[in-house]
Amino acid sequence: MAPGAGLRYQGAVSLPPNFTLLQVVPELETGGAEQTTLDVARAVVAAGGQALVASAGGRMEAALAAAGGELVRLPMQSKNPLVMLQTAWALRRVIRERRVSLVHVRSRAPAFPALWAARAEGVPIVATYHGIYLAKSGLKRWYNAVMTRVDRVIANSDYTRNHVLIEHGIAPEKVVSIPRGVDLERFDPVHVAAERVEALKGAWGLPPAGEGPLVFLLAGRLTPIKGHETVIAATARLKGEGRDLRVIFAGDDQGRTAFRQSLEARVREAGLEGVVRLVGHCDDMPAAFLAADIALLPTLVPESFGRAAVEPQVMGRPVIASDHGGTTETVLPGQTGWRAAPGDIDAWTRAMAAASDVGREGLAALGRTARERATRLYSNDAMCAATLAVYEQLLKAREVGK
């Protein structure tokens, strides 16, 4: 199959009796890989299997337990060769003692011990590309390629699949495209009480819903690649044009204190205090999207998929996203939002002005189209079913090969 053909799995899934999945992820803090780990764990448990997650743990441990999964605490985040060797032996014991049926790795560093352990114990192994791994040297390309030395590679978008095929030159049939999914029960406007929305708006210093200036929301950790500085510059220009708007940055700095402080300084220097607000981590993203009128995803590097562009659409909010990466598949200009050149202050100023000019009624119409399309194409159930279908195929192939 040619690059970009978007190989996907469909159909009913039946896992074998006593199926046990071992997923491997560095930590369980926050992010797309971690959330997908929990989603798949929940689906495996629902299908009658057991879901183990080898990880150093983190703030999502309780959510894993609530999904029916079990944490196997190991230093999967370590890149120290000696620690990785010890971890490989520990994973072998886990695979053997818990009768693991299949291993699924979601990051490069832990893929090394996981691959060795799975091969040593003779169980299939799958890897998911949750991001675009760039290589400026042969050594880095070799390091990245560990994710392709498995039995099947899952790419989280057609964009990612193209990258894997071009970068590593592996057989197209080895790489399957499975778009990341959204929990349509959690992200459903009907299930979000008005009190939750008003509580957030109050905490963020915003007027009640439907009143005051339009609110733009950039949800994501505070890091230079997310494009916060582009939005600050564009907002300053819009204010200079006499436009009244509010911009919310919802996300923590994850230890990048200097960068957060630099953003705060830029806001002050631009005279945007009260216009651009850094509100920290938000646990209630469904309510957060409803508290805003438009979502922003101004990433400077391509998102492999860009769940942050899909979740607001599921909540009925149009999106302005950088015109590269996976968001070219998920955001349709003029239909579900706008796309602007990454890092281009002029382009982002024009896009945010265009969204403002549409007004709340026009934005609501775009949001309805966005929700219909996103719920149809990017459901969590579809993503999990396709992933379990990959497991089923590999397990059947293994039985045939015995």
Short mmCIF file of all heavy atoms in Angstrom, two decimals, residues 18-24 52 88 91-105 111 113-127 149-152 390-391 394-399 402:
data_model
loop_
_atom_site.label_atom_id
_atom_site.label_comp_id
_atom_site.label_asym_id
_atom_site.label_seq_id
_atom_site.Cartn_x
_atom_site.Cartn_y
_atom_site.Cartn_z
N ASN A 18 -8.48 -15.29 28.73
CA ASN A 18 -7.31 -15.01 29.57
C ASN A 18 -6.31 -14.07 28.90
O ASN A 18 -5.11 -14.12 29.18
CB ASN A 18 -6.60 -16.32 29.95
CG ASN A 18 -7.53 -17.28 30.67
OD1 ASN A 18 -8.28 -16.87 31.54
ND2 ASN A 18 -7.48 -18.54 30.27
N PHE A 19 -6.81 -13.23 28.02
CA PHE A 19 -5.93 -12.26 27.35
C PHE A 19 -5.42 -11.24 28.36
O PHE A 19 -6.20 -10.66 29.13
CB PHE A 19 -6.68 -11.54 26.23
CG PHE A 19 -5.87 -10.44 25.57
CD1 PHE A 19 -4.94 -10.74 24.60
CD2 PHE A 19 -6.03 -9.11 25.94
CE1 PHE A 19 -4.18 -9.74 23.99
CE2 PHE A 19 -5.30 -8.10 25.34
CZ PHE A 19 -4.37 -8.42 24.36
N THR A 20 -4.11 -11.01 28.36
CA THR A 20 -3.50 -10.00 29.22
C THR A 20 -2.61 -9.10 28.37
O THR A 20 -1.70 -9.57 27.69
CB THR A 20 -2.66 -10.65 30.33
OG1 THR A 20 -3.50 -11.47 31.15
CG2 THR A 20 -2.01 -9.59 31.21
N LEU A 21 -2.90 -7.81 28.44
CA LEU A 21 -2.12 -6.83 27.70
C LEU A 21 -1.16 -6.10 28.64
O LEU A 21 -1.55 -5.71 29.75
CB LEU A 21 -3.06 -5.79 27.06
CG LEU A 21 -2.39 -4.57 26.42
CD1 LEU A 21 -1.59 -4.97 25.18
CD2 LEU A 21 -3.43 -3.51 26.06
N LEU A 22 0.07 -5.92 28.21
CA LEU A 22 1.03 -5.11 28.94
C LEU A 22 1.39 -3.90 28.08
O LEU A 22 2.03 -4.04 27.04
CB LEU A 22 2.30 -5.91 29.26
CG LEU A 22 3.45 -5.10 29.90
CD1 LEU A 22 3.04 -4.53 31.25
CD2 LEU A 22 4.71 -5.96 30.03
N GLN A 23 0.92 -2.73 28.49
CA GLN A 23 1.29 -1.49 27.82
C GLN A 23 2.49 -0.88 28.55
O GLN A 23 2.61 -0.99 29.77
CB GLN A 23 0.13 -0.50 27.80
CG GLN A 23 -1.06 -0.98 26.98
CD GLN A 23 -2.13 0.09 26.89
OE1 GLN A 23 -2.09 0.96 26.03
NE2 GLN A 23 -3.10 0.02 27.78
N VAL A 24 3.34 -0.22 27.79
CA VAL A 24 4.56 0.35 28.35
C VAL A 24 4.62 1.83 27.96
O VAL A 24 4.61 2.17 26.78
CB VAL A 24 5.81 -0.38 27.82
CG1 VAL A 24 7.07 0.23 28.41
CG2 VAL A 24 5.73 -1.87 28.15
N LEU A 52 -2.42 -4.42 32.05
CA LEU A 52 -1.29 -3.99 32.87
C LEU A 52 -0.61 -2.81 32.19
O LEU A 52 -0.54 -2.75 30.95
CB LEU A 52 -0.28 -5.13 33.04
CG LEU A 52 -0.80 -6.49 33.49
CD1 LEU A 52 0.36 -7.48 33.56
CD2 LEU A 52 -1.51 -6.38 34.82
N ALA A 88 14.52 -4.44 31.68
CA ALA A 88 14.23 -5.51 30.72
C ALA A 88 14.03 -6.84 31.44
O ALA A 88 13.10 -7.60 31.14
CB ALA A 88 15.36 -5.62 29.70
N LEU A 91 10.74 -6.77 33.22
CA LEU A 91 9.63 -6.96 32.29
C LEU A 91 9.49 -8.43 31.88
O LEU A 91 8.38 -8.94 31.71
CB LEU A 91 9.82 -6.09 31.04
CG LEU A 91 9.59 -4.58 31.24
CD1 LEU A 91 9.98 -3.83 29.96
CD2 LEU A 91 8.14 -4.30 31.60
N ARG A 92 10.62 -9.11 31.73
CA ARG A 92 10.56 -10.54 31.42
C ARG A 92 9.80 -11.29 32.53
O ARG A 92 8.97 -12.16 32.24
CB ARG A 92 11.97 -11.13 31.28
CG ARG A 92 12.65 -10.84 29.97
CD ARG A 92 13.83 -11.79 29.74
NE ARG A 92 13.38 -13.17 29.54
CZ ARG A 92 14.20 -14.18 29.26
NH1 ARG A 92 15.51 -13.96 29.19
NH2 ARG A 92 13.73 -15.41 29.09
N ARG A 93 10.11 -10.95 33.77
CA ARG A 93 9.41 -11.61 34.89
C ARG A 93 7.91 -11.30 34.85
O ARG A 93 7.09 -12.19 35.09
CB ARG A 93 10.01 -11.15 36.23
CG ARG A 93 11.40 -11.70 36.50
CD ARG A 93 11.78 -11.52 37.96
NE ARG A 93 11.81 -10.10 38.32
CZ ARG A 93 12.87 -9.32 38.19
NH1 ARG A 93 13.99 -9.82 37.68
NH2 ARG A 93 12.83 -8.07 38.57
N VAL A 94 7.58 -10.05 34.57
CA VAL A 94 6.16 -9.68 34.51
C VAL A 94 5.46 -10.45 33.40
O VAL A 94 4.37 -11.00 33.60
CB VAL A 94 6.02 -8.16 34.26
CG1 VAL A 94 4.56 -7.79 33.99
CG2 VAL A 94 6.54 -7.37 35.46
N ILE A 95 6.08 -10.51 32.24
CA ILE A 95 5.48 -11.22 31.10
C ILE A 95 5.26 -12.69 31.44
O ILE A 95 4.20 -13.27 31.14
CB ILE A 95 6.36 -11.07 29.84
CG1 ILE A 95 6.36 -9.61 29.36
CG2 ILE A 95 5.88 -12.00 28.73
CD1 ILE A 95 7.37 -9.33 28.27
N ARG A 96 6.25 -13.28 32.09
CA ARG A 96 6.16 -14.71 32.40
C ARG A 96 5.17 -14.98 33.53
O ARG A 96 4.29 -15.84 33.40
CB ARG A 96 7.56 -15.22 32.79
CG ARG A 96 7.65 -16.74 32.94
CD ARG A 96 9.05 -17.16 33.38
NE ARG A 96 10.09 -16.52 32.62
CZ ARG A 96 11.01 -15.70 33.12
NH1 ARG A 96 10.99 -15.43 34.43
NH2 ARG A 96 11.94 -15.16 32.37
N GLU A 97 5.29 -14.21 34.61
CA GLU A 97 4.47 -14.48 35.79
C GLU A 97 3.00 -14.09 35.58
O GLU A 97 2.10 -14.74 36.12
CB GLU A 97 5.04 -13.74 37.00
CG GLU A 97 6.41 -14.27 37.42
CD GLU A 97 7.05 -13.41 38.50
OE1 GLU A 97 6.40 -12.44 38.95
OE2 GLU A 97 8.20 -13.71 38.89
N ARG A 98 2.75 -13.04 34.82
CA ARG A 98 1.37 -12.60 34.59
C ARG A 98 0.79 -13.17 33.31
O ARG A 98 -0.32 -12.83 32.93
CB ARG A 98 1.31 -11.08 34.58
CG ARG A 98 1.77 -10.41 35.88
CD ARG A 98 0.95 -10.85 37.09
NE ARG A 98 -0.44 -10.45 36.95
CZ ARG A 98 -0.93 -9.27 37.35
NH1 ARG A 98 -0.14 -8.39 37.94
NH2 ARG A 98 -2.20 -8.99 37.18
N ARG A 99 1.54 -14.01 32.64
CA ARG A 99 1.09 -14.65 31.40
C ARG A 99 0.60 -13.60 30.39
O ARG A 99 -0.50 -13.68 29.85
CB ARG A 99 0.00 -15.68 31.67
CG ARG A 99 0.45 -16.82 32.58
CD ARG A 99 -0.65 -17.85 32.78
NE ARG A 99 -0.23 -18.92 33.65
CZ ARG A 99 0.45 -19.99 33.28
NH1 ARG A 99 0.79 -20.13 32.00
NH2 ARG A 99 0.80 -20.92 34.16
N VAL A 100 1.45 -12.64 30.14
CA VAL A 100 1.12 -11.55 29.21
C VAL A 100 0.99 -12.11 27.79
O VAL A 100 1.83 -12.89 27.33
CB VAL A 100 2.20 -10.45 29.27
CG1 VAL A 100 2.04 -9.46 28.13
CG2 VAL A 100 2.14 -9.74 30.62
N SER A 101 -0.08 -11.70 27.12
CA SER A 101 -0.35 -12.18 25.77
C SER A 101 0.32 -11.32 24.70
O SER A 101 0.71 -11.82 23.64
CB SER A 101 -1.86 -12.18 25.50
OG SER A 101 -2.57 -12.84 26.53
N LEU A 102 0.45 -10.03 24.98
CA LEU A 102 0.95 -9.09 23.98
C LEU A 102 1.47 -7.84 24.69
O LEU A 102 0.91 -7.42 25.70
CB LEU A 102 -0.15 -8.73 22.98
CG LEU A 102 0.19 -7.82 21.81
CD1 LEU A 102 -0.59 -8.27 20.55
CD2 LEU A 102 -0.16 -6.36 22.12
N VAL A 103 2.53 -7.26 24.15
CA VAL A 103 3.13 -6.04 24.70
C VAL A 103 2.90 -4.90 23.72
O VAL A 103 3.05 -5.07 22.50
CB VAL A 103 4.64 -6.22 24.96
CG1 VAL A 103 5.27 -4.90 25.42
CG2 VAL A 103 4.88 -7.32 25.98
N HIS A 104 2.53 -3.73 24.26
CA HIS A 104 2.28 -2.55 23.43
C HIS A 104 3.10 -1.39 24.00
O HIS A 104 2.86 -0.94 25.11
CB HIS A 104 0.79 -2.21 23.45
CG HIS A 104 0.40 -1.16 22.45
ND1 HIS A 104 -0.89 -1.03 21.97
CD2 HIS A 104 1.10 -0.17 21.84
CE1 HIS A 104 -0.95 -0.03 21.12
NE2 HIS A 104 0.24 0.52 21.03
N VAL A 105 4.09 -0.92 23.23
CA VAL A 105 4.96 0.17 23.70
C VAL A 105 4.53 1.48 23.05
O VAL A 105 4.07 1.51 21.91
CB VAL A 105 6.45 -0.11 23.41
CG1 VAL A 105 6.90 -1.37 24.11
CG2 VAL A 105 6.71 -0.21 21.91
N ALA A 111 10.91 1.37 24.83
CA ALA A 111 10.76 0.35 23.79
C ALA A 111 11.95 -0.60 23.77
O ALA A 111 11.81 -1.77 23.42
CB ALA A 111 10.59 1.01 22.42
N PRO A 113 13.95 -1.90 26.39
CA PRO A 113 13.80 -3.05 27.29
C PRO A 113 12.54 -3.86 26.99
O PRO A 113 12.55 -5.09 27.13
CB PRO A 113 13.72 -2.40 28.68
CG PRO A 113 13.33 -0.99 28.44
CD PRO A 113 13.94 -0.63 27.14
N ALA A 114 11.48 -3.20 26.55
CA ALA A 114 10.24 -3.92 26.25
C ALA A 114 10.41 -4.85 25.05
O ALA A 114 9.93 -5.99 25.05
CB ALA A 114 9.11 -2.93 26.00
N LEU A 115 11.11 -4.38 24.03
CA LEU A 115 11.33 -5.20 22.84
C LEU A 115 12.17 -6.43 23.19
O LEU A 115 11.85 -7.55 22.78
CB LEU A 115 12.03 -4.35 21.77
CG LEU A 115 12.35 -5.06 20.45
CD1 LEU A 115 11.08 -5.50 19.75
CD2 LEU A 115 13.17 -4.13 19.53
N TRP A 116 13.23 -6.22 23.95
CA TRP A 116 14.08 -7.36 24.33
C TRP A 116 13.30 -8.37 25.17
O TRP A 116 13.38 -9.58 24.93
CB TRP A 116 15.28 -6.84 25.12
CG TRP A 116 16.24 -7.95 25.50
CD1 TRP A 116 17.20 -8.51 24.73
CD2 TRP A 116 16.26 -8.63 26.76
NE1 TRP A 116 17.85 -9.50 25.44
CE2 TRP A 116 17.30 -9.60 26.68
CE3 TRP A 116 15.53 -8.53 27.94
CZ2 TRP A 116 17.60 -10.45 27.74
CZ3 TRP A 116 15.84 -9.37 29.00
CH2 TRP A 116 16.86 -10.32 28.90
N ALA A 117 12.51 -7.86 26.13
CA ALA A 117 11.75 -8.76 27.00
C ALA A 117 10.70 -9.54 26.22
O ALA A 117 10.52 -10.75 26.41
CB ALA A 117 11.09 -7.96 28.12
N ALA A 118 9.98 -8.85 25.31
CA ALA A 118 8.94 -9.52 24.53
C ALA A 118 9.54 -10.58 23.62
O ALA A 118 9.00 -11.70 23.51
CB ALA A 118 8.16 -8.49 23.71
N ARG A 119 10.65 -10.25 22.97
CA ARG A 119 11.28 -11.23 22.08
C ARG A 119 11.79 -12.42 22.89
O ARG A 119 11.67 -13.58 22.46
CB ARG A 119 12.44 -10.56 21.33
CG ARG A 119 11.99 -9.51 20.31
CD ARG A 119 11.33 -10.15 19.11
NE ARG A 119 11.04 -9.17 18.08
CZ ARG A 119 9.84 -8.88 17.64
NH1 ARG A 119 8.78 -9.50 18.18
NH2 ARG A 119 9.64 -8.01 16.69
N ALA A 120 12.38 -12.14 24.06
CA ALA A 120 12.91 -13.23 24.88
C ALA A 120 11.82 -14.17 25.36
O ALA A 120 12.04 -15.38 25.49
CB ALA A 120 13.67 -12.65 26.07
N GLU A 121 10.63 -13.63 25.62
CA GLU A 121 9.52 -14.44 26.10
C GLU A 121 8.60 -14.92 24.98
O GLU A 121 7.62 -15.62 25.25
CB GLU A 121 8.72 -13.65 27.13
CG GLU A 121 9.49 -13.34 28.41
CD GLU A 121 9.94 -14.61 29.13
OE1 GLU A 121 9.16 -15.60 29.14
OE2 GLU A 121 11.06 -14.62 29.68
N GLY A 122 8.88 -14.52 23.76
CA GLY A 122 8.12 -15.02 22.62
C GLY A 122 6.70 -14.52 22.51
O GLY A 122 5.82 -15.25 22.04
N VAL A 123 6.47 -13.26 22.90
CA VAL A 123 5.13 -12.70 22.77
C VAL A 123 5.15 -11.58 21.74
O VAL A 123 6.16 -10.90 21.56
CB VAL A 123 4.59 -12.17 24.12
CG1 VAL A 123 4.52 -13.28 25.15
CG2 VAL A 123 5.42 -11.01 24.63
N PRO A 124 4.03 -11.36 21.03
CA PRO A 124 3.97 -10.29 20.02
C PRO A 124 4.14 -8.93 20.68
O PRO A 124 3.80 -8.73 21.85
CB PRO A 124 2.57 -10.44 19.41
CG PRO A 124 2.11 -11.81 19.79
CD PRO A 124 2.77 -12.12 21.10
N ILE A 125 4.65 -7.99 19.89
CA ILE A 125 4.83 -6.63 20.40
C ILE A 125 4.41 -5.62 19.35
O ILE A 125 4.69 -5.78 18.16
CB ILE A 125 6.30 -6.40 20.85
CG1 ILE A 125 6.47 -4.98 21.42
CG2 ILE A 125 7.28 -6.68 19.73
CD1 ILE A 125 7.78 -4.76 22.14
N VAL A 126 3.69 -4.61 19.80
CA VAL A 126 3.16 -3.53 18.96
C VAL A 126 3.74 -2.22 19.47
O VAL A 126 4.00 -2.07 20.66
CB VAL A 126 1.61 -3.49 19.04
CG1 VAL A 126 1.05 -2.30 18.28
CG2 VAL A 126 1.02 -4.80 18.53
N ALA A 127 3.93 -1.26 18.57
CA ALA A 127 4.38 0.08 18.97
C ALA A 127 3.48 1.12 18.34
O ALA A 127 3.07 0.98 17.17
CB ALA A 127 5.82 0.32 18.55
N ARG A 149 10.89 -1.92 15.01
CA ARG A 149 11.43 -3.29 15.07
C ARG A 149 10.45 -4.25 15.72
O ARG A 149 10.82 -5.34 16.16
CB ARG A 149 12.76 -3.27 15.84
CG ARG A 149 13.83 -2.42 15.18
CD ARG A 149 15.14 -2.39 15.93
NE ARG A 149 16.01 -1.34 15.40
CZ ARG A 149 16.53 -0.37 16.11
NH1 ARG A 149 16.31 -0.31 17.43
NH2 ARG A 149 17.29 0.55 15.54
N VAL A 150 9.22 -3.86 15.78
CA VAL A 150 8.16 -4.64 16.41
C VAL A 150 7.37 -5.40 15.35
O VAL A 150 7.70 -5.36 14.16
CB VAL A 150 7.23 -3.70 17.21
CG1 VAL A 150 8.00 -3.04 18.35
CG2 VAL A 150 6.62 -2.64 16.30
N ASP A 151 6.31 -6.07 15.77
CA ASP A 151 5.51 -6.85 14.82
C ASP A 151 4.51 -5.99 14.04
O ASP A 151 4.16 -6.33 12.92
CB ASP A 151 4.76 -7.96 15.57
CG ASP A 151 5.71 -8.92 16.26
OD1 ASP A 151 6.58 -9.48 15.56
OD2 ASP A 151 5.61 -9.08 17.49
N ARG A 152 4.04 -4.92 14.65
CA ARG A 152 3.14 -4.01 13.95
C ARG A 152 3.31 -2.61 14.52
O ARG A 152 3.48 -2.43 15.73
CB ARG A 152 1.69 -4.44 14.13
CG ARG A 152 0.69 -3.63 13.30
CD ARG A 152 0.74 -3.97 11.79
NE ARG A 152 0.02 -5.21 11.53
CZ ARG A 152 0.61 -6.35 11.16
NH1 ARG A 152 1.93 -6.42 11.05
NH2 ARG A 152 -0.09 -7.43 10.92
N VAL A 390 -5.93 -5.09 15.80
CA VAL A 390 -4.51 -5.35 15.52
C VAL A 390 -4.00 -6.45 16.44
O VAL A 390 -3.31 -7.37 16.00
CB VAL A 390 -3.68 -4.06 15.71
CG1 VAL A 390 -2.19 -4.36 15.61
CG2 VAL A 390 -4.07 -3.02 14.66
N TYR A 391 -4.35 -6.37 17.72
CA TYR A 391 -3.96 -7.43 18.66
C TYR A 391 -4.48 -8.80 18.17
O TYR A 391 -3.74 -9.79 18.16
CB TYR A 391 -4.53 -7.17 20.04
CG TYR A 391 -4.12 -5.89 20.72
CD1 TYR A 391 -4.82 -5.42 21.84
CD2 TYR A 391 -3.02 -5.15 20.28
CE1 TYR A 391 -4.44 -4.26 22.49
CE2 TYR A 391 -2.64 -3.98 20.92
CZ TYR A 391 -3.36 -3.54 22.03
OH TYR A 391 -3.00 -2.39 22.69
N LEU A 394 -2.52 -10.22 15.20
CA LEU A 394 -1.19 -10.71 15.54
C LEU A 394 -1.27 -12.02 16.32
O LEU A 394 -0.45 -12.93 16.11
CB LEU A 394 -0.43 -9.67 16.35
CG LEU A 394 0.01 -8.42 15.57
CD1 LEU A 394 0.66 -7.42 16.51
CD2 LEU A 394 0.96 -8.79 14.45
N LEU A 395 -2.22 -12.13 17.21
CA LEU A 395 -2.36 -13.36 18.00
C LEU A 395 -2.77 -14.53 17.12
O LEU A 395 -2.27 -15.65 17.29
CB LEU A 395 -3.38 -13.14 19.11
CG LEU A 395 -2.93 -12.16 20.21
CD1 LEU A 395 -4.11 -11.84 21.13
CD2 LEU A 395 -1.77 -12.74 21.01
N LYS A 396 -3.64 -14.27 16.15
CA LYS A 396 -4.03 -15.33 15.22
C LYS A 396 -2.86 -15.77 14.36
O LYS A 396 -2.67 -16.95 14.10
CB LYS A 396 -5.20 -14.86 14.35
CG LYS A 396 -6.53 -14.79 15.08
CD LYS A 396 -7.65 -14.38 14.15
CE LYS A 396 -9.00 -14.40 14.86
NZ LYS A 396 -10.12 -13.95 13.96
N ALA A 397 -2.07 -14.78 13.90
CA ALA A 397 -0.90 -15.10 13.07
C ALA A 397 0.11 -15.93 13.87
O ALA A 397 0.75 -16.84 13.33
CB ALA A 397 -0.25 -13.81 12.58
N ARG A 398 0.22 -15.61 15.15
CA ARG A 398 1.15 -16.38 16.00
C ARG A 398 0.68 -17.81 16.14
O ARG A 398 1.50 -18.75 16.12
CB ARG A 398 1.25 -15.70 17.37
CG ARG A 398 2.26 -16.34 18.30
CD ARG A 398 2.21 -15.67 19.64
NE ARG A 398 3.17 -16.26 20.58
CZ ARG A 398 3.00 -16.35 21.86
NH1 ARG A 398 1.89 -15.92 22.40
NH2 ARG A 398 3.91 -16.89 22.64
N GLU A 399 -0.63 -18.02 16.32
CA GLU A 399 -1.15 -19.37 16.45
C GLU A 399 -0.95 -20.18 15.17
O GLU A 399 -0.61 -21.35 15.22
CB GLU A 399 -2.66 -19.31 16.80
CG GLU A 399 -2.93 -18.85 18.20
CD GLU A 399 -2.32 -19.77 19.25
OE1 GLU A 399 -2.42 -21.01 19.08
OE2 GLU A 399 -1.69 -19.26 20.21
N LYS A 402 2.64 -21.45 14.82
CA LYS A 402 3.16 -22.47 15.77
C LYS A 402 3.21 -23.85 15.14
O LYS A 402 2.40 -24.20 14.32
CB LYS A 402 2.27 -22.51 17.02
CG LYS A 402 2.49 -21.33 17.95
CD LYS A 402 1.66 -21.47 19.21
CE LYS A 402 1.95 -20.34 20.18
NZ LYS A 402 1.12 -20.46 21.42
#
